[in-house]
Amino acid sequence: MCATFTRGLAPEEVFARYGADSEQARLLGCEAASDLPSGESGDGMVSLLRAGSIGGWAFCVEQGGGIGFGEESLAELSRGTETYSVATTEGIDVFQYWRDGECVEYFEPGGGAQPVRTARPLVGSSGRGTRRTQG
């Protein structure tokens, strides 16, 4: 399961940035949505996306897929804004913070390592920014 939280987007825009077919989107309750197929299919991975908004933030919950914590999706979701992503799968839990297409922080809770931080603040930040680095 993955949940993303993006500032200033409507749920329809979240679907579009995920690359979802807006023609297939419809209002469903949690129980009805859980009856829909998700996961691996003959046509590839199928993800069930449920989105909404509250207080200026759009959220999207994805079950049965891993699109919402991939770099491409998070870069697109955060373009011109910021996105938080929390994902839990078999064997890995991940927290990510993205701003304007760039990964600012990547952390695996319980993994023993602390988030890698850069000494250089991000443009427009208050100096508290972090950035994922390799190595």
Side-chain angles (χ1 to χ4, degrees):
M1 190 216 33
C2 176
T4 57
F5 306 89
T6 304
R7 184 187 302 271
L9 296 184
E12 297 81 9
E13 178 66 15
V14 170
F15 285 148
R17 291 187 184 202
Y18 262 92
D21 182 354
S22 62
E23 297 292 319
Q24 292 187 25
R26 58 190 180 275
L27 291 175
L28 296 174
C30 183
E31 192 171 310
S34 67
D35 291 336
L36 295 174
S38 63
E40 193 66 37
S41 77
D43 296 329
M45 183 60 76
V46 175
S47 289
L48 173 62
L49 304 174
R50 294 183 293 153
S53 63
I54 187 166
W57 288 83
F59 60 87
C60 187
V61 177
E62 175 188 11
Q63 292 183 272
I67 297 170
F69 66 94
E71 289 184 10
E72 280 185 35
S73 295
L74 290 170
E76 184 62 23
L77 280 170
S78 67
R79 184 178 32 84
T81 187
E82 59 186 330
T83 298
Y84 292 90
S85 172
V86 180
T88 184
T89 63
E90 294 178 27
I92 188 170
D93 298 321
V94 177
F95 168 84
Q96 296 182 68
Y97 172 60
W98 286 67
R99 185 184 309 141
D100 200 18
E102 297 289 326
C103 184
V104 177
E105 187 158 344
Y106 179 96
F107 181 61
E108 295 177 27
Q114 294 297 311
V116 178
R117 299 175 186 262
T118 180
R120 186 182 49 141
L122 298 172
V123 175
S125 79
S126 61
R128 296 184 308 243
T130 58
R131 179 175 299 237
R132 182 176 131 192
T133 59
Q134 299 289 337

